[in-house]
């Protein structure tokens, strides 16, 4: 099969590799849509590069079931599915709490197993055991590849207890920031977006953001106080830049929730005034993934909001176009890029 294989930092090549054969409890999925995530680009750039190389990245996967390993039941060849990418143990403290992203013995697609930047991807038994193979019906494969990132936004919304009337500030209107807009608006929140790019602010407004702000043109502290009186109930920092995260800390109200959603480079530091945290009773937290239950919720969410979720996709290309897709993600010149396979 053809795959985009990572051999080292900034070294990804299209190559022919053996097609996997599913063992007991495993299935083989023919990839039809695979999202290019900022995390993939960071890994490719050398941040968190796996020790065992070469490898295949890609954890936002949808396709059709191509083959079943011995003992697999309840799934049929040809079934159209989305794949929850984390193979959790199901037995540790965190799994029993339903917090699968914190499993102490996890692996998964592009994390111990080859991922979905390939014509076929092998799905480990653990993912099937946790009901991580979800039927997508007639949902188009490009939209189905959006289920995983949407599930991460649902997890953040759950953590922030976002409901009707919650005042949410989203810092950054990249692909995930835009999905946060869609998820928060679907819950009835009032959404404010802070973003430097004119194009991204315009897209956020088109997707339902109530207010968009350019942080270089206004005092964010003054504007957020003017718009909310006491500060945002929830701030979601959907950026990977410590300076932007740190500058956004004062924008959450006392008793509010500040979620560092965007991953930063290893070793980066932000400075926090402990008195502000202490006397303001601020909840400073983070989230980066979702449970298998939230992934299942995301399937229906994408079906119900196909029009707006689809507007976040700006690039659809074949596997041969992955280098351009990675470049556009790295440079921020596109919204969401999806690799499409016949």
């Amino acid at each position: 099969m053809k795959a985009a294989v990572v051999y080292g930092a900034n070294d990804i090549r299209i190559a022919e590799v053996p097609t996997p054969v599913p063992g007991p409890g495993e299935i083989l999925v023919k990839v039809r849509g695979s999202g290019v995530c900022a995390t993939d680009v960071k890994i490719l750039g050398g941040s968190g590069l796996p020790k065992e190389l070469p490898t295949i990245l890609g954890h936002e996967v949808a396709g059709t079931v191509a083959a079943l390993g011995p003992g697999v039941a309840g799934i049929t060849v040809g079934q159209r599915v989305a794949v929850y990418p984390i193979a959790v143990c199901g037995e540790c403290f965190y799994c029993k709490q339903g917090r699968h992203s914190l499993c102490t013995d996890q692996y998964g697609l592009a994390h111990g197993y080859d991922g979905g930047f390939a014509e076929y991807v092998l799905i480990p038994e653990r993912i099937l055991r946790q009901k991580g193979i979800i039927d997508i019906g007639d949902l188009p494969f490009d939209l189905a590849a959006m289920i995983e990132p949407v599930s991460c936004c649902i997890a953040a919304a759950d953590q922030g207890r976002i409901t009707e009337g919650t005042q949410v500030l989203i810092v950054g209107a990249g692909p995930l920031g835009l999905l946060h807009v869609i998820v928060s608006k679907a819950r009835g929140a009032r959404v404010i977006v802070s973003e430097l790019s004119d194009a991204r602010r315009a897209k956020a407004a088109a997707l339902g953001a109530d207010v968009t702000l350019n942080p270089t043109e206004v005092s964010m502290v003054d504007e957020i106080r003017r718009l909310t009186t006491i500060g945002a109930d929830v701030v979601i920092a959907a950026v990977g830049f410590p300076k932007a995260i740190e500058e956004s800390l004062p924008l959450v109200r006392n008793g509010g929730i500040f979620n560092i959603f965007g991953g930063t480079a290893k070793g980066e530091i932000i400075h926090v005034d402990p008195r502000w945290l202490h006397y303001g009773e601020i909840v400073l937290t983070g989230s980066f993934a979702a449970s298998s239950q939230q992934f299942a919720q995301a399937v229906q969410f994408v079906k119900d909001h196909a029009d707006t979720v689809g507007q976040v996709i700006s690039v659809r290309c074949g596997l041969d176009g992955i280098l351009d897709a990675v470049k556009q993600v790295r440079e921020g010149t596109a919204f969401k890029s999806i690799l499409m396979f016949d």
Side-chain angles (χ1 to χ4, degrees):
M1 68 176 185
K2 187 186 289 187
V5 182
V6 177
Y7 291 89
N10 295 310
D11 185 3
I12 185 169
R13 310 172 214 166
I14 306 300
E16 287 289 336
V17 299
T19 302
V21 176
E26 299 177 331
I27 65 171
L28 186 69
V29 169
K30 178 176 174 56
V31 179
R32 297 295 305 278
S34 188
V36 180
C37 176
T39 300
D40 298 316
V41 175
K42 290 173 187 174
I43 292 171
L44 179 60
S47 179
L49 197 66
K51 293 180 180 179
E52 295 187 11
L53 296 172
T55 191
I56 300 171
L57 299 178
H59 60 274
E60 302 172 356
V61 178
T64 56
V65 177
L68 308 177
V72 174
I75 296 173
T76 58
V77 171
Q79 188 173 355
R80 305 172 86 255
V81 297
V83 181
Y84 178 67
I86 308 175
V88 302
C89 72
E91 300 296 330
C92 71
F93 171 84
Y94 297 107
C95 283
K96 289 179 179 178
Q97 304 258 338
R99 303 190 68 180
H100 295 141
S101 59
L102 300 181
C103 173
T104 59
D105 183 29
Q106 63 168 276
Y107 52 90
L109 303 190
H111 179 54
Y113 260 56
D114 284 336
F117 292 167
E119 292 179 314
Y120 292 90
V121 62
L122 185 66
I123 310 303
E125 181 271 340
R126 276 189 179 186
I127 290 179
L128 275 70
R129 193 195 319 159
Q130 293 297 324
K131 296 181 172 52
I133 302 299
I134 310 292
D135 190 284
I136 61 171
D138 59 359
L139 186 69
F141 288 114
D142 56 346
L143 286 173
M146 298 290 281
I147 290 168
E148 195 280 337
V150 167
S151 74
C152 298
C153 296
I154 288 174
D158 287 348
Q159 188 180 70
R161 301 189 288 277
I162 295 173
T163 57
E164 185 77 31
T166 302
Q167 301 203 85
V168 179
L169 169 64
I170 298 166
V171 181
L176 270 294
L178 295 173
L179 291 178
H180 279 299
V181 171
I182 296 168
V183 169
S184 294
K185 288 302 297 181
R187 295 188 175 206
R190 183 186 186 215
V191 174
I192 305 166
V193 170
S194 171
E195 168 59 50
L196 294 171
S197 162
D198 293 343
R200 290 185 172 193
R201 286 198 310 279
K203 178 66 78 171
L207 293 174
D210 297 282
V211 180
T212 64
L213 301 170
N214 183 335
T216 65
E217 296 179 351
V218 299
S219 163
M220 287 299 297
V221 171
D222 291 346
E223 278 299 296
I224 294 301
R225 291 299 161 86
R226 183 182 69 81
L227 291 165
T228 65
T229 306
I230 58 174
D233 300 315
V234 178
V235 175
I236 299 173
V239 291
F241 307 107
K243 185 174 184 288
I245 295 170
E246 189 172 312
E247 291 176 347
S248 301
L249 292 173
L251 307 180
V252 68
R253 66 166 172 80
N254 285 351
I257 298 172
F258 192 105
N259 184 337
I260 300 176
F261 183 86
T264 64
K266 186 176 182 180
E268 296 280 8
I269 300 295
I270 63 169
H271 296 89
V272 178
D273 180 354
R275 289 175 60 84
W276 166 79
L277 196 68
H278 173 73
Y279 289 108
E281 298 185 6
I282 309 296
V283 177
L284 180 59
T285 185
S287 65
F288 73 98
S291 68
S292 58
Q293 290 83 5
Q294 288 161 333
F295 186 85
Q297 292 171 25
V299 175
Q300 190 59 52
F301 186 95
V302 172
K303 289 180 178 180
D304 293 342
H305 300 86
D307 179 60
T308 49
V309 172
Q311 291 181 50
V312 179
I313 303 171
S314 60
V315 176
R316 298 170 177 83
C317 63
L319 187 62
D320 291 336
I322 190 169
L323 291 178
D324 284 339
V326 166
K327 181 181 178 182
Q328 290 180 73
V329 171
R330 182 173 284 153
E331 296 177 350
T333 56
F335 294 110
K336 187 66 176 179
S337 297
I338 307 291
L339 302 182
M340 301 298 295
F341 299 79
D342 295 329

mmCIF file of all heavy atoms in Angstrom, residues 1-5 7 13-21 28-31 55-57 66 113-122 319 341:
data_model
loop_
_atom_site.group_PDB
_atom_site.id
_atom_site.type_symbol
_atom_site.label_atom_id
_atom_site.label_comp_id
_atom_site.label_asym_id
_atom_site.label_seq_id
_atom_site.Cartn_x
_atom_site.Cartn_y
_atom_site.Cartn_z
ATOM 1 N N MET A 1 0.846 -1.187 0.000
ATOM 2 C CA MET A 1 0.000 0.000 0.000
ATOM 3 C C MET A 1 0.885 1.241 0.000
ATOM 4 O O MET A 1 2.064 1.198 0.334
ATOM 5 C CB MET A 1 -0.917 0.020 1.234
ATOM 6 C CG MET A 1 -0.194 0.225 2.564
ATOM 7 S SD MET A 1 -1.315 0.349 3.975
ATOM 8 C CE MET A 1 -0.152 0.717 5.299
ATOM 9 N N LYS A 2 0.313 2.372 -0.378
ATOM 10 C CA LYS A 2 1.016 3.635 -0.381
ATOM 11 C C LYS A 2 0.763 4.340 0.949
ATOM 12 O O LYS A 2 -0.360 4.336 1.473
ATOM 13 C CB LYS A 2 0.531 4.500 -1.546
ATOM 14 C CG LYS A 2 1.319 5.793 -1.739
ATOM 15 C CD LYS A 2 0.699 6.676 -2.810
ATOM 16 C CE LYS A 2 0.887 6.087 -4.183
ATOM 17 N NZ LYS A 2 0.412 7.056 -5.225
ATOM 18 N N ALA A 3 1.819 4.966 1.509
ATOM 19 C CA ALA A 3 1.701 5.658 2.783
ATOM 20 C C ALA A 3 2.650 6.840 2.818
ATOM 21 O O ALA A 3 3.657 6.872 2.092
ATOM 22 C CB ALA A 3 1.999 4.714 3.951
ATOM 23 N N ALA A 4 2.332 7.820 3.661
ATOM 24 C CA ALA A 4 3.246 8.929 3.943
ATOM 25 C C ALA A 4 4.036 8.532 5.182
ATOM 26 O O ALA A 4 3.509 8.539 6.293
ATOM 27 C CB ALA A 4 2.470 10.222 4.168
ATOM 28 N N VAL A 5 5.286 8.183 4.998
ATOM 29 C CA VAL A 5 6.098 7.600 6.066
ATOM 30 C C VAL A 5 7.063 8.657 6.614
ATOM 31 O O VAL A 5 7.750 9.343 5.858
ATOM 32 C CB VAL A 5 6.895 6.389 5.541
ATOM 33 C CG1 VAL A 5 7.698 5.752 6.669
ATOM 34 C CG2 VAL A 5 5.949 5.365 4.905
ATOM 35 N N TYR A 7 10.411 9.444 8.475
ATOM 36 C CA TYR A 7 11.713 8.838 8.751
ATOM 37 C C TYR A 7 12.517 9.637 9.774
ATOM 38 O O TYR A 7 13.510 9.138 10.317
ATOM 39 C CB TYR A 7 12.517 8.710 7.455
ATOM 40 C CG TYR A 7 11.942 7.689 6.501
ATOM 41 C CD1 TYR A 7 10.977 8.056 5.566
ATOM 42 C CD2 TYR A 7 12.344 6.359 6.547
ATOM 43 C CE1 TYR A 7 10.436 7.126 4.687
ATOM 44 C CE2 TYR A 7 11.813 5.423 5.675
ATOM 45 C CZ TYR A 7 10.863 5.808 4.751
ATOM 46 O OH TYR A 7 10.317 4.875 3.884
ATOM 47 N N ARG A 13 7.997 10.947 3.512
ATOM 48 C CA ARG A 13 8.090 10.530 2.117
ATOM 49 C C ARG A 13 6.936 9.585 1.777
ATOM 50 O O ARG A 13 6.504 8.789 2.617
ATOM 51 C CB ARG A 13 9.403 9.794 1.855
ATOM 52 C CG ARG A 13 10.656 10.498 2.341
ATOM 53 C CD ARG A 13 11.873 9.604 2.197
ATOM 54 N NE ARG A 13 12.843 9.820 3.262
ATOM 55 C CZ ARG A 13 13.852 9.005 3.539
ATOM 56 N NH1 ARG A 13 14.007 7.893 2.830
ATOM 57 N NH2 ARG A 13 14.681 9.276 4.531
ATOM 58 N N ILE A 14 6.468 9.697 0.551
ATOM 59 C CA ILE A 14 5.482 8.746 0.054
ATOM 60 C C ILE A 14 6.216 7.468 -0.311
ATOM 61 O O ILE A 14 7.191 7.493 -1.076
ATOM 62 C CB ILE A 14 4.732 9.301 -1.167
ATOM 63 C CG1 ILE A 14 4.121 10.674 -0.850
ATOM 64 C CG2 ILE A 14 3.665 8.317 -1.622
ATOM 65 C CD1 ILE A 14 3.135 10.654 0.294
ATOM 66 N N ALA A 15 5.781 6.343 0.261
ATOM 67 C CA ALA A 15 6.488 5.078 0.049
ATOM 68 C C ALA A 15 5.493 3.932 -0.044
ATOM 69 O O ALA A 15 4.356 4.027 0.431
ATOM 70 C CB ALA A 15 7.480 4.831 1.198
ATOM 71 N N GLU A 16 5.947 2.854 -0.655
ATOM 72 C CA GLU A 16 5.183 1.611 -0.660
ATOM 73 C C GLU A 16 5.577 0.792 0.564
ATOM 74 O O GLU A 16 6.766 0.551 0.802
ATOM 75 C CB GLU A 16 5.469 0.818 -1.934
ATOM 76 C CG GLU A 16 4.841 1.393 -3.184
ATOM 77 C CD GLU A 16 3.323 1.222 -3.217
ATOM 78 O OE1 GLU A 16 2.807 0.299 -2.535
ATOM 79 O OE2 GLU A 16 2.667 2.009 -3.920
ATOM 80 N N VAL A 17 4.591 0.396 1.355
ATOM 81 C CA VAL A 17 4.830 -0.403 2.563
ATOM 82 C C VAL A 17 3.860 -1.582 2.548
ATOM 83 O O VAL A 17 2.835 -1.548 1.864
ATOM 84 C CB VAL A 17 4.641 0.437 3.839
ATOM 85 C CG1 VAL A 17 5.622 1.599 3.880
ATOM 86 C CG2 VAL A 17 3.210 0.942 3.958
ATOM 87 N N PRO A 18 4.161 -2.645 3.290
ATOM 88 C CA PRO A 18 3.247 -3.795 3.312
ATOM 89 C C PRO A 18 1.873 -3.424 3.862
ATOM 90 O O PRO A 18 1.770 -2.669 4.839
ATOM 91 C CB PRO A 18 3.965 -4.789 4.229
ATOM 92 C CG PRO A 18 5.405 -4.373 4.208
ATOM 93 C CD PRO A 18 5.400 -2.884 4.059
ATOM 94 N N THR A 19 0.842 -3.963 3.252
ATOM 95 C CA THR A 19 -0.513 -3.780 3.785
ATOM 96 C C THR A 19 -0.686 -4.652 5.025
ATOM 97 O O THR A 19 -0.405 -5.856 4.974
ATOM 98 C CB THR A 19 -1.569 -4.165 2.733
ATOM 99 O OG1 THR A 19 -1.363 -3.369 1.563
ATOM 100 C CG2 THR A 19 -2.978 -3.954 3.263
ATOM 101 N N PRO A 20 -1.116 -4.085 6.148
ATOM 102 C CA PRO A 20 -1.262 -4.887 7.374
ATOM 103 C C PRO A 20 -2.305 -5.986 7.214
ATOM 104 O O PRO A 20 -3.255 -5.865 6.428
ATOM 105 C CB PRO A 20 -1.706 -3.861 8.424
ATOM 106 C CG PRO A 20 -1.386 -2.528 7.843
ATOM 107 C CD PRO A 20 -1.485 -2.678 6.369
ATOM 108 N N VAL A 21 -2.139 -7.030 7.995
ATOM 109 C CA VAL A 21 -3.099 -8.135 8.052
ATOM 110 C C VAL A 21 -3.650 -8.186 9.480
ATOM 111 O O VAL A 21 -2.886 -8.299 10.434
ATOM 112 C CB VAL A 21 -2.437 -9.476 7.689
ATOM 113 C CG1 VAL A 21 -3.436 -10.625 7.846
ATOM 114 C CG2 VAL A 21 -1.882 -9.436 6.269
ATOM 115 N N LEU A 28 -8.988 -4.245 9.661
ATOM 116 C CA LEU A 28 -8.260 -3.401 8.727
ATOM 117 C C LEU A 28 -9.262 -2.435 8.099
ATOM 118 O O LEU A 28 -10.321 -2.846 7.624
ATOM 119 C CB LEU A 28 -7.600 -4.244 7.634
ATOM 120 C CG LEU A 28 -6.692 -3.477 6.665
ATOM 121 C CD1 LEU A 28 -5.439 -2.987 7.377
ATOM 122 C CD2 LEU A 28 -6.322 -4.368 5.474
ATOM 123 N N VAL A 29 -8.939 -1.148 8.141
ATOM 124 C CA VAL A 29 -9.810 -0.125 7.559
ATOM 125 C C VAL A 29 -9.138 0.470 6.330
ATOM 126 O O VAL A 29 -7.965 0.854 6.376
ATOM 127 C CB VAL A 29 -10.118 0.983 8.588
ATOM 128 C CG1 VAL A 29 -10.803 2.174 7.926
ATOM 129 C CG2 VAL A 29 -10.995 0.436 9.712
ATOM 130 N N LYS A 30 -9.885 0.530 5.242
ATOM 131 C CA LYS A 30 -9.438 1.254 4.055
ATOM 132 C C LYS A 30 -9.717 2.730 4.299
ATOM 133 O O LYS A 30 -10.873 3.132 4.444
ATOM 134 C CB LYS A 30 -10.166 0.766 2.803
ATOM 135 C CG LYS A 30 -9.771 1.524 1.532
ATOM 136 C CD LYS A 30 -10.451 0.950 0.312
ATOM 137 C CE LYS A 30 -10.182 1.804 -0.932
ATOM 138 N NZ LYS A 30 -8.752 1.981 -1.213
ATOM 139 N N VAL A 31 -8.665 3.522 4.379
ATOM 140 C CA VAL A 31 -8.819 4.941 4.713
ATOM 141 C C VAL A 31 -9.454 5.675 3.538
ATOM 142 O O VAL A 31 -9.038 5.524 2.392
ATOM 143 C CB VAL A 31 -7.452 5.560 5.065
ATOM 144 C CG1 VAL A 31 -7.607 7.048 5.393
ATOM 145 C CG2 VAL A 31 -6.818 4.821 6.237
ATOM 146 N N THR A 55 7.672 5.716 10.921
ATOM 147 C CA THR A 55 6.311 5.572 11.412
ATOM 148 C C THR A 55 5.356 6.297 10.475
ATOM 149 O O THR A 55 5.780 7.053 9.595
ATOM 150 C CB THR A 55 6.184 6.121 12.847
ATOM 151 O OG1 THR A 55 4.925 5.740 13.393
ATOM 152 C CG2 THR A 55 6.293 7.648 12.866
ATOM 153 N N ILE A 56 4.063 6.067 10.687
ATOM 154 C CA ILE A 56 3.023 6.714 9.890
ATOM 155 C C ILE A 56 2.121 7.481 10.848
ATOM 156 O O ILE A 56 1.580 6.898 11.796
ATOM 157 C CB ILE A 56 2.201 5.683 9.089
ATOM 158 C CG1 ILE A 56 3.117 4.895 8.142
ATOM 159 C CG2 ILE A 56 1.084 6.368 8.302
ATOM 160 C CD1 ILE A 56 2.429 3.706 7.474
ATOM 161 N N LEU A 57 1.976 8.787 10.612
ATOM 162 C CA LEU A 57 1.123 9.618 11.454
ATOM 163 C C LEU A 57 -0.321 9.591 10.945
ATOM 164 O O LEU A 57 -0.642 8.894 10.002
ATOM 165 C CB LEU A 57 1.664 11.053 11.476
ATOM 166 C CG LEU A 57 3.082 11.240 12.031
ATOM 167 C CD1 LEU A 57 3.502 12.709 11.956
ATOM 168 C CD2 LEU A 57 3.169 10.730 13.469
ATOM 169 N N ALA A 66 -12.176 -3.106 5.663
ATOM 170 C CA ALA A 66 -11.663 -3.898 4.542
ATOM 171 C C ALA A 66 -11.496 -5.368 4.890
ATOM 172 O O ALA A 66 -11.618 -6.239 4.022
ATOM 173 C CB ALA A 66 -10.323 -3.335 4.072
ATOM 174 N N TYR A 113 1.018 2.651 17.133
ATOM 175 C CA TYR A 113 0.498 1.980 15.937
ATOM 176 C C TYR A 113 0.601 2.957 14.769
ATOM 177 O O TYR A 113 0.466 4.172 14.958
ATOM 178 C CB TYR A 113 -0.979 1.596 16.122
ATOM 179 C CG TYR A 113 -1.223 0.157 16.489
ATOM 180 C CD1 TYR A 113 -0.631 -0.420 17.609
ATOM 181 C CD2 TYR A 113 -2.063 -0.647 15.735
ATOM 182 C CE1 TYR A 113 -0.867 -1.736 17.962
ATOM 183 C CE2 TYR A 113 -2.316 -1.973 16.069
ATOM 184 C CZ TYR A 113 -1.710 -2.508 17.177
ATOM 185 O OH TYR A 113 -1.938 -3.819 17.522
ATOM 186 N N ASP A 114 0.831 2.424 13.568
ATOM 187 C CA ASP A 114 0.817 3.298 12.405
ATOM 188 C C ASP A 114 -0.556 3.936 12.249
ATOM 189 O O ASP A 114 -1.588 3.313 12.511
ATOM 190 C CB ASP A 114 1.179 2.516 11.144
ATOM 191 C CG ASP A 114 2.675 2.226 11.053
ATOM 192 O OD1 ASP A 114 3.467 2.976 11.660
ATOM 193 O OD2 ASP A 114 3.037 1.246 10.370
ATOM 194 N N GLY A 115 -0.544 5.201 11.792
ATOM 195 C CA GLY A 115 -1.773 5.959 11.677
ATOM 196 C C GLY A 115 -2.371 5.966 10.282
ATOM 197 O O GLY A 115 -2.062 5.107 9.439
ATOM 198 N N GLY A 116 -3.205 6.984 10.043
ATOM 199 C CA GLY A 116 -4.076 6.989 8.880
ATOM 200 C C GLY A 116 -3.593 7.752 7.669
ATOM 201 O O GLY A 116 -4.372 7.975 6.734
ATOM 202 N N PHE A 117 -2.316 8.163 7.635
ATOM 203 C CA PHE A 117 -1.786 8.765 6.405
ATOM 204 C C PHE A 117 -1.314 7.643 5.484
ATOM 205 O O PHE A 117 -0.158 7.558 5.066
ATOM 206 C CB PHE A 117 -0.637 9.717 6.717
ATOM 207 C CG PHE A 117 -1.040 10.961 7.466
ATOM 208 C CD1 PHE A 117 -0.080 11.776 8.050
ATOM 209 C CD2 PHE A 117 -2.368 11.334 7.590
ATOM 210 C CE1 PHE A 117 -0.438 12.918 8.735
ATOM 211 C CE2 PHE A 117 -2.744 12.482 8.289
ATOM 212 C CZ PHE A 117 -1.771 13.278 8.859
ATOM 213 N N ALA A 118 -2.239 6.758 5.175
ATOM 214 C CA ALA A 118 -1.944 5.571 4.377
ATOM 215 C C ALA A 118 -3.241 5.052 3.774
ATOM 216 O O ALA A 118 -4.339 5.425 4.206
ATOM 217 C CB ALA A 118 -1.299 4.488 5.241
ATOM 218 N N GLU A 119 -3.108 4.180 2.794
ATOM 219 C CA GLU A 119 -4.305 3.651 2.141
ATOM 220 C C GLU A 119 -5.085 2.710 3.050
ATOM 221 O O GLU A 119 -6.315 2.583 2.916
ATOM 222 C CB GLU A 119 -3.898 2.936 0.851
ATOM 223 C CG GLU A 119 -3.359 3.890 -0.207
ATOM 224 C CD GLU A 119 -2.923 3.189 -1.473
ATOM 225 O OE1 GLU A 119 -2.229 2.159 -1.378
ATOM 226 O OE2 GLU A 119 -3.284 3.678 -2.567
ATOM 227 N N TYR A 120 -4.387 2.057 3.984
ATOM 228 C CA TYR A 120 -5.045 1.170 4.942
ATOM 229 C C TYR A 120 -4.452 1.419 6.327
ATOM 230 O O TYR A 120 -3.278 1.798 6.462
ATOM 231 C CB TYR A 120 -4.836 -0.301 4.572
ATOM 232 C CG TYR A 120 -5.537 -0.717 3.298
ATOM 233 C CD1 TYR A 120 -4.889 -0.606 2.066
ATOM 234 C CD2 TYR A 120 -6.829 -1.213 3.331
ATOM 235 C CE1 TYR A 120 -5.524 -0.972 0.892
ATOM 236 C CE2 TYR A 120 -7.474 -1.596 2.155
ATOM 237 C CZ TYR A 120 -6.824 -1.472 0.945
ATOM 238 O OH TYR A 120 -7.467 -1.835 -0.212
ATOM 239 N N VAL A 121 -5.270 1.189 7.356
ATOM 240 C CA VAL A 121 -4.788 1.331 8.725
ATOM 241 C C VAL A 121 -5.317 0.154 9.553
ATOM 242 O O VAL A 121 -6.483 -0.242 9.442
ATOM 243 C CB VAL A 121 -5.219 2.683 9.338
ATOM 244 C CG1 VAL A 121 -6.740 2.827 9.416
ATOM 245 C CG2 VAL A 121 -4.602 2.880 10.710
ATOM 246 N N LEU A 122 -4.410 -0.415 10.358
ATOM 247 C CA LEU A 122 -4.766 -1.536 11.224
ATOM 248 C C LEU A 122 -5.296 -0.989 12.540
ATOM 249 O O LEU A 122 -4.668 -0.132 13.170
ATOM 250 C CB LEU A 122 -3.534 -2.408 11.476
ATOM 251 C CG LEU A 122 -3.741 -3.697 12.280
ATOM 252 C CD1 LEU A 122 -4.606 -4.678 11.498
ATOM 253 C CD2 LEU A 122 -2.384 -4.320 12.621
ATOM 254 N N LEU A 319 -3.058 11.755 -1.099
ATOM 255 C CA LEU A 319 -1.873 11.496 -0.281
ATOM 256 C C LEU A 319 -0.641 12.195 -0.851
ATOM 257 O O LEU A 319 0.216 12.675 -0.100
ATOM 258 C CB LEU A 319 -1.630 9.987 -0.187
ATOM 259 C CG LEU A 319 -0.520 9.529 0.761
ATOM 260 C CD1 LEU A 319 -0.831 9.915 2.201
ATOM 261 C CD2 LEU A 319 -0.328 8.012 0.658
ATOM 262 N N PHE A 341 -8.914 9.647 -0.018
ATOM 263 C CA PHE A 341 -8.466 8.433 -0.726
ATOM 264 C C PHE A 341 -9.633 7.848 -1.482
ATOM 265 O O PHE A 341 -10.774 7.866 -1.031
ATOM 266 C CB PHE A 341 -7.959 7.389 0.280
ATOM 267 C CG PHE A 341 -6.773 7.830 1.106
ATOM 268 C CD1 PHE A 341 -6.952 8.664 2.189
ATOM 269 C CD2 PHE A 341 -5.498 7.389 0.815
ATOM 270 C CE1 PHE A 341 -5.877 9.058 2.979
ATOM 271 C CE2 PHE A 341 -4.413 7.769 1.589
ATOM 272 C CZ PHE A 341 -4.609 8.614 2.664
#
